[in-house]
Amino acid sequence: MMNGVTFKNPEFFYLLLVILPMVVWYVFRYRKSGASIRYSSLKGFSGLTKSWKHYLRHLPFVLQLAGIGLLTVALARPQSSNSWQDVTTEGIDIVIALDISSSMLARDFQPNRLEAAKNVATEFISGRQNDKMGFVVFSGESFTQCPLTTDHAVLINLFKDIESGMIEDGTAIGNGLATSVARLKESDAISKVIILLTDGENNRGEIAPETAAELAKTFGIRVYTVGVGSIGTAPYPVQTPFGTQMQDVEVKIDEETLQKIADITDGRYFRATNNDKLVQIYEEIDQLEKSKMEVKEYSTKDEEFVRYAMLAGLVLVTGLFLKTTLFRNIP
């Protein structure tokens, strides 16, 4: 259980600035109120002692300042909060499934689709310090590049080492998703998420994408699918006898299948047509998962301003009473 105090209207604390001119005015008035009389000798006053009223003569003013301070706190509306969370909970477990087929080398993203996806994913990982994350790559087949870990530095370094051509070419979306599910199915995290990014159509692998999606649903795993590629055609590097040349290739993304995967698993499908859009998508996923974590936490807030208001009234009344009675004639 965590306890804390927050303020609903913290702007009222600016009222405390009035205390400074009050102190200045009080000191100025106090110095002017003291009358002076000249004596040739002070011997006749040497035996006199000062009363307790003299030593407490500033008490009414101090109580007035304290009352103003307490009243300001009351106006700021302090709220105490109690929240409970299971300390054994691991938070959110996330696996990023990245297509590394040769088509990811297309240059409609800068410097290409694969490098753009790696860069944005790295930023995403850096911002999720409290989550365990893993990494799966796929093209004609799939494998786990990094299992779930909290060591994000290791994960980022493994991301940087990824290149197209590491495994057989093709696009096995179903296999990539199934491998990701295998990484998460034993997790006891409060939320399990797969971010699957591809730029093509499923044309390889033994597992259909819809079958893998149903498997993810069985284990309570939410899948965010991201289709990467511009609309129409995209420049693609082609090896020719004259060296590497750019050739416009038609962009084919199986958006229907990616949308179906998202629907089955209660996720969402996104289409990234450029670098900026890809960044926005990861930012949106980041916010979606943060809000889901907050919903799972239980918290209560109690208003505390009444006790401060009552205490402020008591202190102000006490100060006024002392000033008009016991300290009425004390300068």
Side-chain angles (χ1 to χ4, degrees), residues 50-118:
K50 296 179 179 179
S51 68
W52 61 271
K53 291 184 180 181
H54 173 80
Y55 292 105
L56 297 178
R57 64 191 183 279
H58 300 303
L59 181 59
F61 181 68
V62 172
L63 290 175
Q64 185 180 7
L65 296 182
I68 292 174
L70 290 168
L71 186 59
T72 301
V73 173
L75 290 172
R77 284 188 63 186
Q79 298 174 328
S80 63
S81 61
N82 297 313
S83 61
W84 287 262
Q85 59 180 6
D86 186 356
V87 294
T88 63
T89 297
E90 298 295 334
I92 297 178
D93 286 358
I94 301 174
V95 169
I96 297 176
L98 180 62
D99 184 349
I100 61 169
S101 59
S102 59
S103 59
M104 288 290 286
L105 297 177
R107 303 286 178 83
D108 49 350
F109 285 64
Q110 297 300 321
N112 58 46
R113 293 174 184 171
L114 181 58
E115 291 302 317
K118 287 163 58 176

Side-chain angles (χ1 to χ4, degrees), residues 99 171 173-174 196 198-203 208-210 225-229 251-262 269-271:
D99 184 349
T171 306
I173 296 176
L196 187 146
T198 182
D199 69 342
E201 302 172 307
N202 187 73
N203 54 27
E210 293 85 354
T225 52
V226 182
V228 178
V251 177
K252 295 181 179 181
I253 300 176
D254 191 351
E255 294 191 277
E256 182 179 349
T257 296
L258 296 178
Q259 182 67 63
K260 187 177 296 183
I261 292 172
Y269 168 65
F270 302 90
R271 176 68 185 270

Side-chain angles (χ1 to χ4, degrees), residues 20 26 28 39 68 80 89 109 142 149 171 182 193 196 209 250 309 317:
L20 182 60
Y26 180 82
F28 177 77
Y39 292 92
I68 292 174
S80 63
T89 297
F109 285 64
S142 66
T149 179
T171 306
V193 173
L196 187 146
E250 184 181 0
V317 169

Side-chain angles (χ1 to χ4, degrees), residues 26 30 49-60 321-331:
Y26 180 82
Y30 178 78
T49 58
K50 296 179 179 179
S51 68
W52 61 271
K53 291 184 180 181
H54 173 80
Y55 292 105
L56 297 178
R57 64 191 183 279
H58 300 303
L59 181 59
F321 173 79
L322 292 177
K323 183 177 180 180
T324 57
T325 56
L326 296 177
F327 295 91
R328 182 174 56 185
N329 297 319
I330 303 297

Side-chain angles (χ1 to χ4, degrees), residues 4 8 14 28 78 82 88 121 166 182 215 219 225 232 247 280 302 312:
K8 180 74 173 179
Y14 286 113
F28 177 77
N82 297 313
T88 63
M166 293 176 61
L215 190 64
F219 291 104
T225 52
Q247 180 178 331
Q280 293 174 13
D302 296 317

